[in-house]
Each structure stands twice: as structure tokens, then as C-alpha cells.
Amino acid sequence: MMASRKRTAWLLALPPALGNIVGGLIMYWLGAVLAEPVIDPMIAWMGAQSDYSDALDMLREDGFWALMIVGVTPFPFQVGTAAAGVAGYPLLPFVLAVGLSRSIRYLALVALVRVVGAQAREWIERRQLEIFGGGIVLFVMIGLAVWLS
């Protein structure tokens, strides 16, 4: 669609970005509501309380950047947004991080389509595994940098 409507391609990135904010808010709410009755017992059963606690502390301290990373990489967006709800991350910075990161992601797709044209979709589909792998590597590198600092 973006390739066939190059002039309005930027506007086509808006609905998915807004939908991701709404979806992120739903996952945030589910994380907040299900933390005590579902998530905490599951973490205890797995014996991962210490790691879980560390992850929540990191999210509380560096939540904006963690959410930005989750929003632009292939890391499961739903996991990050639900974790923000579990951590009780403040709602306004949550919405800003999710909105900004998802907008960047979709605007980058628009830019790719505008530069490459219709072949962008085919290129993305052919290189899906490499893109996913690159995103995971980037996610790990940024995560290590945050953890080591």
C-alpha cells in the first residue's frame, strides 16, 4: 500500500503506530492486573525470583530506554509492555516511549519503501530472518551496554 501511495505513505504509518499504543496499554494493564495472581507464582515456581526482581528493578530505573529498545527491535513487544505494567512503570513515559519507538519503526518502513519502492516489501520478506537476527543482536548489545553501565 505504501509503495502504491508514495505521497500519503507517511499517513499510512500512523494507524499501526496508534494501534500499537492501544495494544501496549492493554498489555500494560494485563501485566499490572495479572502480576500477583498469575505471574508472581509462575516466577516462584520456576525459581527465578532474583532474576525477575532484577529485571523489574532495571525496568523501573531505565524503563524508557528499555521500552524504546523493545519498540524498535523484533523483541516481543507484548512482553515488554506487560513487564512495564508489572513493574508499575509510570503511564505517561510508557505511552511516550511506546509511541515514539513504534512511530520510528513504522516511519523507517515508509522511508525504505519511498527509497526502494515496491521491491522493499519483497526485500523485507526475503531477508526476514537476517533482519530478525540483526535486531536480536542489536537488542543484546544495547542490553549489555545498559547492564554494564
Side-chain angles (χ1 to χ4, degrees):
M1 222 169 139
M2 289 177 185
S4 65
R5 299 178 183 195
K6 286 187 177 184
R7 284 192 172 165
T8 59
W10 303 103
L11 293 174
L12 296 173
L14 186 60
L18 292 174
N20 273 262
I21 293 171
V22 171
L25 286 168
I26 291 168
M27 291 306 297
Y28 178 98
W29 177 78
L30 286 172
V33 169
L34 297 177
E36 191 175 322
V38 176
I39 297 170
D40 292 346
M42 184 175 66
I43 296 297
W45 177 75
M46 293 185 326
Q49 295 96 326
S50 178
D51 291 336
Y52 178 66
S53 179
D54 291 347
L56 290 179
D57 288 343
M58 186 186 84
L59 187 57
R60 288 181 186 112
E61 292 171 17
D62 298 317
F64 186 85
W65 293 111
L67 288 167
M68 285 291 294
I69 292 168
V70 166
V72 296
T73 63
F75 184 82
F77 178 68
Q78 300 82 355
V79 173
T81 55
V86 171
Y89 189 72
L91 203 53
L92 182 59
F94 171 83
V95 171
L96 291 173
V98 168
L100 183 60
S101 65
R102 298 312 267 189
S103 294
I104 289 169
R105 184 178 178 132
Y106 290 112
L107 290 174
L109 288 174
V110 170
L112 183 62
V113 168
R114 296 227 1 139
V115 170
V116 180
Q119 298 89 2
R121 184 176 133 246
E122 296 165 11
W123 184 85
I124 290 170
E125 288 174 357
R126 275 196 322 270
R127 304 277 187 223
Q128 206 166 27
L129 186 59
E130 291 92 341
I131 293 169
F132 180 75
I136 294 296
V137 168
L138 179 63
F139 178 78
V140 169
M141 289 173 50
I142 293 171
L144 283 173
V146 168
W147 183 67
L148 293 172
S149 64

mmCIF file with all atom_site columns, all heavy atoms in Angstrom, residues 109-134:
data_model
loop_
_atom_site.group_PDB
_atom_site.id
_atom_site.type_symbol
_atom_site.label_atom_id
_atom_site.label_alt_id
_atom_site.label_comp_id
_atom_site.label_asym_id
_atom_site.label_entity_id
_atom_site.label_seq_id
_atom_site.pdbx_PDB_ins_code
_atom_site.Cartn_x
_atom_site.Cartn_y
_atom_site.Cartn_z
_atom_site.occupancy
_atom_site.B_iso_or_equiv
_atom_site.pdbx_formal_charge
_atom_site.auth_seq_id
_atom_site.auth_comp_id
_atom_site.auth_asym_id
_atom_site.auth_atom_id
_atom_site.pdbx_PDB_model_num
ATOM 1   N N   . LEU A 1 109 ? 10.002 2.024   7.917  1.00 0.00 ? 109 LEU A N   1
ATOM 2   C CA  . LEU A 1 109 ? 9.438  1.227   6.812  1.00 0.00 ? 109 LEU A CA  1
ATOM 3   C C   . LEU A 1 109 ? 8.980  2.125   5.669  1.00 0.00 ? 109 LEU A C   1
ATOM 4   O O   . LEU A 1 109 ? 9.194  1.810   4.494  1.00 0.00 ? 109 LEU A O   1
ATOM 5   C CB  . LEU A 1 109 ? 8.272  0.377   7.306  1.00 0.00 ? 109 LEU A CB  1
ATOM 6   C CG  . LEU A 1 109 ? 8.626  -0.814  8.180  1.00 0.00 ? 109 LEU A CG  1
ATOM 7   C CD1 . LEU A 1 109 ? 7.359  -1.471  8.715  1.00 0.00 ? 109 LEU A CD1 1
ATOM 8   C CD2 . LEU A 1 109 ? 9.460  -1.819  7.416  1.00 0.00 ? 109 LEU A CD2 1
ATOM 9   N N   . VAL A 1 110 ? 8.356  3.243   6.012  1.00 0.00 ? 110 VAL A N   1
ATOM 10  C CA  . VAL A 1 110 ? 7.913  4.191   4.982  1.00 0.00 ? 110 VAL A CA  1
ATOM 11  C C   . VAL A 1 110 ? 9.120  4.707   4.211  1.00 0.00 ? 110 VAL A C   1
ATOM 12  O O   . VAL A 1 110 ? 9.109  4.763   2.976  1.00 0.00 ? 110 VAL A O   1
ATOM 13  C CB  . VAL A 1 110 ? 7.118  5.361   5.597  1.00 0.00 ? 110 VAL A CB  1
ATOM 14  C CG1 . VAL A 1 110 ? 6.878  6.457   4.579  1.00 0.00 ? 110 VAL A CG1 1
ATOM 15  C CG2 . VAL A 1 110 ? 5.802  4.872   6.162  1.00 0.00 ? 110 VAL A CG2 1
ATOM 16  N N   . ALA A 1 111 ? 10.166 5.083   4.934  1.00 0.00 ? 111 ALA A N   1
ATOM 17  C CA  . ALA A 1 111 ? 11.370 5.597   4.278  1.00 0.00 ? 111 ALA A CA  1
ATOM 18  C C   . ALA A 1 111 ? 11.963 4.545   3.347  1.00 0.00 ? 111 ALA A C   1
ATOM 19  O O   . ALA A 1 111 ? 12.363 4.855   2.219  1.00 0.00 ? 111 ALA A O   1
ATOM 20  C CB  . ALA A 1 111 ? 12.392 6.033   5.326  1.00 0.00 ? 111 ALA A CB  1
ATOM 21  N N   . LEU A 1 112 ? 12.001 3.303   3.798  1.00 0.00 ? 112 LEU A N   1
ATOM 22  C CA  . LEU A 1 112 ? 12.526 2.221   2.963  1.00 0.00 ? 112 LEU A CA  1
ATOM 23  C C   . LEU A 1 112 ? 11.695 2.049   1.697  1.00 0.00 ? 112 LEU A C   1
ATOM 24  O O   . LEU A 1 112 ? 12.236 1.944   0.598  1.00 0.00 ? 112 LEU A O   1
ATOM 25  C CB  . LEU A 1 112 ? 12.556 0.911   3.755  1.00 0.00 ? 112 LEU A CB  1
ATOM 26  C CG  . LEU A 1 112 ? 13.141 -0.296  3.043  1.00 0.00 ? 112 LEU A CG  1
ATOM 27  C CD1 . LEU A 1 112 ? 14.606 -0.058  2.689  1.00 0.00 ? 112 LEU A CD1 1
ATOM 28  C CD2 . LEU A 1 112 ? 12.994 -1.528  3.911  1.00 0.00 ? 112 LEU A CD2 1
ATOM 29  N N   . VAL A 1 113 ? 10.393 2.097   1.845  1.00 0.00 ? 113 VAL A N   1
ATOM 30  C CA  . VAL A 1 113 ? 9.506  1.959   0.684  1.00 0.00 ? 113 VAL A CA  1
ATOM 31  C C   . VAL A 1 113 ? 9.681  3.151   -0.255 1.00 0.00 ? 113 VAL A C   1
ATOM 32  O O   . VAL A 1 113 ? 9.707  2.984   -1.480 1.00 0.00 ? 113 VAL A O   1
ATOM 33  C CB  . VAL A 1 113 ? 8.034  1.805   1.127  1.00 0.00 ? 113 VAL A CB  1
ATOM 34  C CG1 . VAL A 1 113 ? 7.085  1.957   -0.050 1.00 0.00 ? 113 VAL A CG1 1
ATOM 35  C CG2 . VAL A 1 113 ? 7.834  0.457   1.793  1.00 0.00 ? 113 VAL A CG2 1
ATOM 36  N N   . ARG A 1 114 ? 9.826  4.335   0.296  1.00 0.00 ? 114 ARG A N   1
ATOM 37  C CA  . ARG A 1 114 ? 9.993  5.520   -0.552 1.00 0.00 ? 114 ARG A CA  1
ATOM 38  C C   . ARG A 1 114 ? 11.310 5.466   -1.322 1.00 0.00 ? 114 ARG A C   1
ATOM 39  O O   . ARG A 1 114 ? 11.373 5.886   -2.463 1.00 0.00 ? 114 ARG A O   1
ATOM 40  C CB  . ARG A 1 114 ? 9.914  6.794   0.280  1.00 0.00 ? 114 ARG A CB  1
ATOM 41  C CG  . ARG A 1 114 ? 8.574  6.957   0.900  1.00 0.00 ? 114 ARG A CG  1
ATOM 42  C CD  . ARG A 1 114 ? 7.888  8.227   0.816  1.00 0.00 ? 114 ARG A CD  1
ATOM 43  N NE  . ARG A 1 114 ? 8.462  9.332   0.137  1.00 0.00 ? 114 ARG A NE  1
ATOM 44  C CZ  . ARG A 1 114 ? 7.756  10.136  -0.630 1.00 0.00 ? 114 ARG A CZ  1
ATOM 45  N NH1 . ARG A 1 114 ? 6.485  9.918   -0.790 1.00 0.00 ? 114 ARG A NH1 1
ATOM 46  N NH2 . ARG A 1 114 ? 8.307  11.168  -1.202 1.00 0.00 ? 114 ARG A NH2 1
ATOM 47  N N   . VAL A 1 115 ? 12.352 4.964   -0.691 1.00 0.00 ? 115 VAL A N   1
ATOM 48  C CA  . VAL A 1 115 ? 13.661 4.908   -1.348 1.00 0.00 ? 115 VAL A CA  1
ATOM 49  C C   . VAL A 1 115 ? 13.736 3.746   -2.329 1.00 0.00 ? 115 VAL A C   1
ATOM 50  O O   . VAL A 1 115 ? 14.162 3.902   -3.464 1.00 0.00 ? 115 VAL A O   1
ATOM 51  C CB  . VAL A 1 115 ? 14.794 4.789   -0.289 1.00 0.00 ? 115 VAL A CB  1
ATOM 52  C CG1 . VAL A 1 115 ? 16.126 4.481   -0.935 1.00 0.00 ? 115 VAL A CG1 1
ATOM 53  C CG2 . VAL A 1 115 ? 14.873 6.066   0.523  1.00 0.00 ? 115 VAL A CG2 1
ATOM 54  N N   . VAL A 1 116 ? 13.289 2.575   -1.897 1.00 0.00 ? 116 VAL A N   1
ATOM 55  C CA  . VAL A 1 116 ? 13.445 1.373   -2.698 1.00 0.00 ? 116 VAL A CA  1
ATOM 56  C C   . VAL A 1 116 ? 12.233 1.106   -3.580 1.00 0.00 ? 116 VAL A C   1
ATOM 57  O O   . VAL A 1 116 ? 12.351 0.502   -4.633 1.00 0.00 ? 116 VAL A O   1
ATOM 58  C CB  . VAL A 1 116 ? 13.736 0.153   -1.785 1.00 0.00 ? 116 VAL A CB  1
ATOM 59  C CG1 . VAL A 1 116 ? 13.911 -1.110  -2.587 1.00 0.00 ? 116 VAL A CG1 1
ATOM 60  C CG2 . VAL A 1 116 ? 14.953 0.417   -0.930 1.00 0.00 ? 116 VAL A CG2 1
ATOM 61  N N   . GLY A 1 117 ? 11.063 1.518   -3.135 1.00 0.00 ? 117 GLY A N   1
ATOM 62  C CA  . GLY A 1 117 ? 9.851  1.286   -3.898 1.00 0.00 ? 117 GLY A CA  1
ATOM 63  C C   . GLY A 1 117 ? 9.206  -0.039  -3.556 1.00 0.00 ? 117 GLY A C   1
ATOM 64  O O   . GLY A 1 117 ? 9.387  -0.573  -2.463 1.00 0.00 ? 117 GLY A O   1
ATOM 65  N N   . ALA A 1 118 ? 8.469  -0.580  -4.495 1.00 0.00 ? 118 ALA A N   1
ATOM 66  C CA  . ALA A 1 118 ? 7.719  -1.821  -4.269 1.00 0.00 ? 118 ALA A CA  1
ATOM 67  C C   . ALA A 1 118 ? 8.631  -2.995  -3.950 1.00 0.00 ? 118 ALA A C   1
ATOM 68  O O   . ALA A 1 118 ? 8.212  -3.947  -3.300 1.00 0.00 ? 118 ALA A O   1
ATOM 69  C CB  . ALA A 1 118 ? 6.860  -2.138  -5.493 1.00 0.00 ? 118 ALA A CB  1
ATOM 70  N N   . GLN A 1 119 ? 9.885  -2.915  -4.390 1.00 0.00 ? 119 GLN A N   1
ATOM 71  C CA  . GLN A 1 119 ? 10.811 -4.006  -4.111 1.00 0.00 ? 119 GLN A CA  1
ATOM 72  C C   . GLN A 1 119 ? 11.109 -4.111  -2.610 1.00 0.00 ? 119 GLN A C   1
ATOM 73  O O   . GLN A 1 119 ? 11.591 -5.141  -2.142 1.00 0.00 ? 119 GLN A O   1
ATOM 74  C CB  . GLN A 1 119 ? 12.141 -3.816  -4.856 1.00 0.00 ? 119 GLN A CB  1
ATOM 75  C CG  . GLN A 1 119 ? 12.011 -3.815  -6.351 1.00 0.00 ? 119 GLN A CG  1
ATOM 76  C CD  . GLN A 1 119 ? 11.756 -2.403  -6.892 1.00 0.00 ? 119 GLN A CD  1
ATOM 77  O OE1 . GLN A 1 119 ? 11.706 -1.433  -6.143 1.00 0.00 ? 119 GLN A OE1 1
ATOM 78  N NE2 . GLN A 1 119 ? 11.577 -2.303  -8.186 1.00 0.00 ? 119 GLN A NE2 1
ATOM 79  N N   . ALA A 1 120 ? 10.824 -3.057  -1.841 1.00 0.00 ? 120 ALA A N   1
ATOM 80  C CA  . ALA A 1 120 ? 11.097 -3.075  -0.402 1.00 0.00 ? 120 ALA A CA  1
ATOM 81  C C   . ALA A 1 120 ? 10.352 -4.215  0.275  1.00 0.00 ? 120 ALA A C   1
ATOM 82  O O   . ALA A 1 120 ? 10.919 -4.914  1.115  1.00 0.00 ? 120 ALA A O   1
ATOM 83  C CB  . ALA A 1 120 ? 10.711 -1.740  0.234  1.00 0.00 ? 120 ALA A CB  1
ATOM 84  N N   . ARG A 1 121 ? 9.105  -4.406  -0.076 1.00 0.00 ? 121 ARG A N   1
ATOM 85  C CA  . ARG A 1 121 ? 8.321  -5.477  0.540  1.00 0.00 ? 121 ARG A CA  1
ATOM 86  C C   . ARG A 1 121 ? 8.936  -6.833  0.235  1.00 0.00 ? 121 ARG A C   1
ATOM 87  O O   . ARG A 1 121 ? 9.106  -7.672  1.113  1.00 0.00 ? 121 ARG A O   1
ATOM 88  C CB  . ARG A 1 121 ? 6.870  -5.423  0.048  1.00 0.00 ? 121 ARG A CB  1
ATOM 89  C CG  . ARG A 1 121 ? 6.003  -6.455  0.734  1.00 0.00 ? 121 ARG A CG  1
ATOM 90  C CD  . ARG A 1 121 ? 4.545  -6.326  0.308  1.00 0.00 ? 121 ARG A CD  1
ATOM 91  N NE  . ARG A 1 121 ? 4.092  -7.660  0.005  1.00 0.00 ? 121 ARG A NE  1
ATOM 92  C CZ  . ARG A 1 121 ? 3.734  -8.125  -1.173 1.00 0.00 ? 121 ARG A CZ  1
ATOM 93  N NH1 . ARG A 1 121 ? 3.718  -7.352  -2.212 1.00 0.00 ? 121 ARG A NH1 1
ATOM 94  N NH2 . ARG A 1 121 ? 3.347  -9.362  -1.331 1.00 0.00 ? 121 ARG A NH2 1
ATOM 95  N N   . GLU A 1 122 ? 9.285  -7.029  -1.020 1.00 0.00 ? 122 GLU A N   1
ATOM 96  C CA  . GLU A 1 122 ? 9.904  -8.295  -1.407 1.00 0.00 ? 122 GLU A CA  1
ATOM 97  C C   . GLU A 1 122 ? 11.238 -8.483  -0.696 1.00 0.00 ? 122 GLU A C   1
ATOM 98  O O   . GLU A 1 122 ? 11.549 -9.580  -0.224 1.00 0.00 ? 122 GLU A O   1
ATOM 99  C CB  . GLU A 1 122 ? 10.101 -8.339  -2.926 1.00 0.00 ? 122 GLU A CB  1
ATOM 100 C CG  . GLU A 1 122 ? 8.801  -8.308  -3.701 1.00 0.00 ? 122 GLU A CG  1
ATOM 101 C CD  . GLU A 1 122 ? 9.031  -7.981  -5.173 1.00 0.00 ? 122 GLU A CD  1
ATOM 102 O OE1 . GLU A 1 122 ? 10.200 -7.979  -5.626 1.00 0.00 ? 122 GLU A OE1 1
ATOM 103 O OE2 . GLU A 1 122 ? 8.033  -7.725  -5.867 1.00 0.00 ? 122 GLU A OE2 1
ATOM 104 N N   . TRP A 1 123 ? 12.029 -7.404  -0.601 1.00 0.00 ? 123 TRP A N   1
ATOM 105 C CA  . TRP A 1 123 ? 13.329 -7.475  0.065  1.00 0.00 ? 123 TRP A CA  1
ATOM 106 C C   . TRP A 1 123 ? 13.153 -7.823  1.544  1.00 0.00 ? 123 TRP A C   1
ATOM 107 O O   . TRP A 1 123 ? 13.862 -8.675  2.072  1.00 0.00 ? 123 TRP A O   1
ATOM 108 C CB  . TRP A 1 123 ? 14.058 -6.140  -0.083 1.00 0.00 ? 123 TRP A CB  1
ATOM 109 C CG  . TRP A 1 123 ? 15.443 -6.166  0.493  1.00 0.00 ? 123 TRP A CG  1
ATOM 110 C CD1 . TRP A 1 123 ? 16.575 -6.590  -0.132 1.00 0.00 ? 123 TRP A CD1 1
ATOM 111 C CD2 . TRP A 1 123 ? 15.820 -5.768  1.812  1.00 0.00 ? 123 TRP A CD2 1
ATOM 112 N NE1 . TRP A 1 123 ? 17.643 -6.481  0.722  1.00 0.00 ? 123 TRP A NE1 1
ATOM 113 C CE2 . TRP A 1 123 ? 17.212 -5.971  1.931  1.00 0.00 ? 123 TRP A CE2 1
ATOM 114 C CE3 . TRP A 1 123 ? 15.137 -5.257  2.905  1.00 0.00 ? 123 TRP A CE3 1
ATOM 115 C CZ2 . TRP A 1 123 ? 17.915 -5.680  3.088  1.00 0.00 ? 123 TRP A CZ2 1
ATOM 116 C CZ3 . TRP A 1 123 ? 15.834 -4.967  4.058  1.00 0.00 ? 123 TRP A CZ3 1
ATOM 117 C CH2 . TRP A 1 123 ? 17.208 -5.177  4.147  1.00 0.00 ? 123 TRP A CH2 1
ATOM 118 N N   . ILE A 1 124 ? 12.192 -7.178  2.196  1.00 0.00 ? 124 ILE A N   1
ATOM 119 C CA  . ILE A 1 124 ? 11.930 -7.452  3.615  1.00 0.00 ? 124 ILE A CA  1
ATOM 120 C C   . ILE A 1 124 ? 11.504 -8.894  3.806  1.00 0.00 ? 124 ILE A C   1
ATOM 121 O O   . ILE A 1 124 ? 11.967 -9.577  4.719  1.00 0.00 ? 124 ILE A O   1
ATOM 122 C CB  . ILE A 1 124 ? 10.874 -6.472  4.178  1.00 0.00 ? 124 ILE A CB  1
ATOM 123 C CG1 . ILE A 1 124 ? 11.457 -5.064  4.271  1.00 0.00 ? 124 ILE A CG1 1
ATOM 124 C CG2 . ILE A 1 124 ? 10.370 -6.923  5.546  1.00 0.00 ? 124 ILE A CG2 1
ATOM 125 C CD1 . ILE A 1 124 ? 10.426 -3.992  4.578  1.00 0.00 ? 124 ILE A CD1 1
ATOM 126 N N   . GLU A 1 125 ? 10.633 -9.381  2.948  1.00 0.00 ? 125 GLU A N   1
ATOM 127 C CA  . GLU A 1 125 ? 10.168 -10.761 3.061  1.00 0.00 ? 125 GLU A CA  1
ATOM 128 C C   . GLU A 1 125 ? 11.304 -11.752 2.829  1.00 0.00 ? 125 GLU A C   1
ATOM 129 O O   . GLU A 1 125 ? 11.400 -12.762 3.515  1.00 0.00 ? 125 GLU A O   1
ATOM 130 C CB  . GLU A 1 125 ? 9.016  -11.014 2.087  1.00 0.00 ? 125 GLU A CB  1
ATOM 131 C CG  . GLU A 1 125 ? 7.730  -10.344 2.514  1.00 0.00 ? 125 GLU A CG  1
ATOM 132 C CD  . GLU A 1 125 ? 6.613  -10.475 1.490  1.00 0.00 ? 125 GLU A CD  1
ATOM 133 O OE1 . GLU A 1 125 ? 6.836  -11.042 0.398  1.00 0.00 ? 125 GLU A OE1 1
ATOM 134 O OE2 . GLU A 1 125 ? 5.514  -9.989  1.782  1.00 0.00 ? 125 GLU A OE2 1
ATOM 135 N N   . ARG A 1 126 ? 12.188 -11.467 1.867  1.00 0.00 ? 126 ARG A N   1
ATOM 136 C CA  . ARG A 1 126 ? 13.323 -12.361 1.585  1.00 0.00 ? 126 ARG A CA  1
ATOM 137 C C   . ARG A 1 126 ? 14.349 -12.337 2.715  1.00 0.00 ? 126 ARG A C   1
ATOM 138 O O   . ARG A 1 126 ? 14.996 -13.336 2.995  1.00 0.00 ? 126 ARG A O   1
ATOM 139 C CB  . ARG A 1 126 ? 14.021 -11.952 0.282  1.00 0.00 ? 126 ARG A CB  1
ATOM 140 C CG  . ARG A 1 126 ? 13.408 -12.517 -0.952 1.00 0.00 ? 126 ARG A CG  1
ATOM 141 C CD  . ARG A 1 126 ? 14.349 -12.411 -2.155 1.00 0.00 ? 126 ARG A CD  1
ATOM 142 N NE  . ARG A 1 126 ? 15.143 -11.199 -2.231 1.00 0.00 ? 126 ARG A NE  1
ATOM 143 C CZ  . ARG A 1 126 ? 14.776 -10.070 -2.844 1.00 0.00 ? 126 ARG A CZ  1
ATOM 144 N NH1 . ARG A 1 126 ? 13.608 -9.984  -3.431 1.00 0.00 ? 126 ARG A NH1 1
ATOM 145 N NH2 . ARG A 1 126 ? 15.568 -9.032  -2.869 1.00 0.00 ? 126 ARG A NH2 1
ATOM 146 N N   . ARG A 1 127 ? 14.518 -11.205 3.353  1.00 0.00 ? 127 ARG A N   1
ATOM 147 C CA  . ARG A 1 127 ? 15.559 -11.022 4.366  1.00 0.00 ? 127 ARG A CA  1
ATOM 148 C C   . ARG A 1 127 ? 15.011 -11.047 5.793  1.00 0.00 ? 127 ARG A C   1
ATOM 149 O O   . ARG A 1 127 ? 15.670 -10.588 6.717  1.00 0.00 ? 127 ARG A O   1
ATOM 150 C CB  . ARG A 1 127 ? 16.273 -9.685  4.152  1.00 0.00 ? 127 ARG A CB  1
ATOM 151 C CG  . ARG A 1 127 ? 16.865 -9.524  2.794  1.00 0.00 ? 127 ARG A CG  1
ATOM 152 C CD  . ARG A 1 127 ? 18.202 -10.188 2.744  1.00 0.00 ? 127 ARG A CD  1
ATOM 153 N NE  . ARG A 1 127 ? 18.844 -9.889  1.484  1.00 0.00 ? 127 ARG A NE  1
ATOM 154 C CZ  . ARG A 1 127 ? 19.483 -10.769 0.774  1.00 0.00 ? 127 ARG A CZ  1
ATOM 155 N NH1 . ARG A 1 127 ? 19.581 -11.998 1.177  1.00 0.00 ? 127 ARG A NH1 1
ATOM 156 N NH2 . ARG A 1 127 ? 20.036 -10.444 -0.354 1.00 0.00 ? 127 ARG A NH2 1
ATOM 157 N N   . GLN A 1 128 ? 13.830 -11.596 5.976  1.00 0.00 ? 128 GLN A N   1
ATOM 158 C CA  . GLN A 1 128 ? 13.173 -11.573 7.282  1.00 0.00 ? 128 GLN A CA  1
ATOM 159 C C   . GLN A 1 128 ? 14.032 -12.201 8.376  1.00 0.00 ? 128 GLN A C   1
ATOM 160 O O   . GLN A 1 128 ? 14.151 -11.657 9.470  1.00 0.00 ? 128 GLN A O   1
ATOM 161 C CB  . GLN A 1 128 ? 11.829 -12.285 7.183  1.00 0.00 ? 128 GLN A CB  1
ATOM 162 C CG  . GLN A 1 128 ? 10.842 -11.832 8.187  1.00 0.00 ? 128 GLN A CG  1
ATOM 163 C CD  . GLN A 1 128 ? 9.450  -12.318 7.830  1.00 0.00 ? 128 GLN A CD  1
ATOM 164 O OE1 . GLN A 1 128 ? 9.282  -13.336 7.171  1.00 0.00 ? 128 GLN A OE1 1
ATOM 165 N NE2 . GLN A 1 128 ? 8.455  -11.597 8.280  1.00 0.00 ? 128 GLN A NE2 1
ATOM 166 N N   . LEU A 1 129 ? 14.656 -13.315 8.108  1.00 0.00 ? 129 LEU A N   1
ATOM 167 C CA  . LEU A 1 129 ? 15.484 -13.990 9.105  1.00 0.00 ? 129 LEU A CA  1
ATOM 168 C C   . LEU A 1 129 ? 16.714 -13.150 9.462  1.00 0.00 ? 129 LEU A C   1
ATOM 169 O O   . LEU A 1 129 ? 17.054 -13.013 10.641 1.00 0.00 ? 129 LEU A O   1
ATOM 170 C CB  . LEU A 1 129 ? 15.904 -15.371 8.601  1.00 0.00 ? 129 LEU A CB  1
ATOM 171 C CG  . LEU A 1 129 ? 16.661 -16.246 9.589  1.00 0.00 ? 129 LEU A CG  1
ATOM 172 C CD1 . LEU A 1 129 ? 15.817 -16.486 10.847 1.00 0.00 ? 129 LEU A CD1 1
ATOM 173 C CD2 . LEU A 1 129 ? 17.022 -17.572 8.950  1.00 0.00 ? 129 LEU A CD2 1
ATOM 174 N N   . GLU A 1 130 ? 17.360 -12.566 8.443  1.00 0.00 ? 130 GLU A N   1
ATOM 175 C CA  . GLU A 1 130 ? 18.528 -11.731 8.703  1.00 0.00 ? 130 GLU A CA  1
ATOM 176 C C   . GLU A 1 130 ? 18.139 -10.473 9.496  1.00 0.00 ? 130 GLU A C   1
ATOM 177 O O   . GLU A 1 130 ? 18.867 -10.055 10.398 1.00 0.00 ? 130 GLU A O   1
ATOM 178 C CB  . GLU A 1 130 ? 19.216 -11.309 7.398  1.00 0.00 ? 130 GLU A CB  1
ATOM 179 C CG  . GLU A 1 130 ? 19.902 -12.459 6.684  1.00 0.00 ? 130 GLU A CG  1
ATOM 180 C CD  . GLU A 1 130 ? 19.003 -13.127 5.658  1.00 0.00 ? 130 GLU A CD  1
ATOM 181 O OE1 . GLU A 1 130 ? 17.767 -12.968 5.712  1.00 0.00 ? 130 GLU A OE1 1
ATOM 182 O OE2 . GLU A 1 130 ? 19.547 -13.838 4.796  1.00 0.00 ? 130 GLU A OE2 1
ATOM 183 N N   . ILE A 1 131 ? 17.012 -9.878  9.159  1.00 0.00 ? 131 ILE A N   1
ATOM 184 C CA  . ILE A 1 131 ? 16.538 -8.695  9.882  1.00 0.00 ? 131 ILE A CA  1
ATOM 185 C C   . ILE A 1 131 ? 16.250 -9.059  11.327 1.00 0.00 ? 131 ILE A C   1
ATOM 186 O O   . ILE A 1 131 ? 16.645 -8.340  12.252 1.00 0.00 ? 131 ILE A O   1
ATOM 187 C CB  . ILE A 1 131 ? 15.287 -8.092  9.198  1.00 0.00 ? 131 ILE A CB  1
ATOM 188 C CG1 . ILE A 1 131 ? 15.661 -7.521  7.830  1.00 0.00 ? 131 ILE A CG1 1
ATOM 189 C CG2 . ILE A 1 131 ? 14.649 -7.026  10.079 1.00 0.00 ? 131 ILE A CG2 1
ATOM 190 C CD1 . ILE A 1 131 ? 14.472 -7.153  6.971  1.00 0.00 ? 131 ILE A CD1 1
ATOM 191 N N   . PHE A 1 132 ? 15.579 -10.188 11.543 1.00 0.00 ? 132 PHE A N   1
ATOM 192 C CA  . PHE A 1 132 ? 15.276 -10.648 12.901 1.00 0.00 ? 132 PHE A CA  1
ATOM 193 C C   . PHE A 1 132 ? 16.567 -10.892 13.680 1.00 0.00 ? 132 PHE A C   1
ATOM 194 O O   . PHE A 1 132 ? 16.720 -10.448 14.813 1.00 0.00 ? 132 PHE A O   1
ATOM 195 C CB  . PHE A 1 132 ? 14.426 -11.924 12.846 1.00 0.00 ? 132 PHE A CB  1
ATOM 196 C CG  . PHE A 1 132 ? 14.081 -12.466 14.204 1.00 0.00 ? 132 PHE A CG  1
ATOM 197 C CD1 . PHE A 1 132 ? 13.114 -11.843 14.973 1.00 0.00 ? 132 PHE A CD1 1
ATOM 198 C CD2 . PHE A 1 132 ? 14.731 -13.574 14.708 1.00 0.00 ? 132 PHE A CD2 1
ATOM 199 C CE1 . PHE A 1 132 ? 12.794 -12.329 16.224 1.00 0.00 ? 132 PHE A CE1 1
ATOM 200 C CE2 . PHE A 1 132 ? 14.420 -14.069 15.959 1.00 0.00 ? 132 PHE A CE2 1
ATOM 201 C CZ  . PHE A 1 132 ? 13.444 -13.446 16.724 1.00 0.00 ? 132 PHE A CZ  1
ATOM 202 N N   . GLY A 1 133 ? 17.515 -11.581 13.064 1.00 0.00 ? 133 GLY A N   1
ATOM 203 C CA  . GLY A 1 133 ? 18.799 -11.856 13.721 1.00 0.00 ? 133 GLY A CA  1
ATOM 204 C C   . GLY A 1 133 ? 19.548 -10.576 14.052 1.00 0.00 ? 133 GLY A C   1
ATOM 205 O O   . GLY A 1 133 ? 20.106 -10.436 15.145 1.00 0.00 ? 133 GLY A O   1
ATOM 206 N N   . GLY A 1 134 ? 19.564 -9.646  13.121 1.00 0.00 ? 134 GLY A N   1
ATOM 207 C CA  . GLY A 1 134 ? 20.221 -8.358  13.366 1.00 0.00 ? 134 GLY A CA  1
ATOM 208 C C   . GLY A 1 134 ? 19.560 -7.593  14.505 1.00 0.00 ? 134 GLY A C   1
ATOM 209 O O   . GLY A 1 134 ? 20.229 -6.973  15.328 1.00 0.00 ? 134 GLY A O   1
#
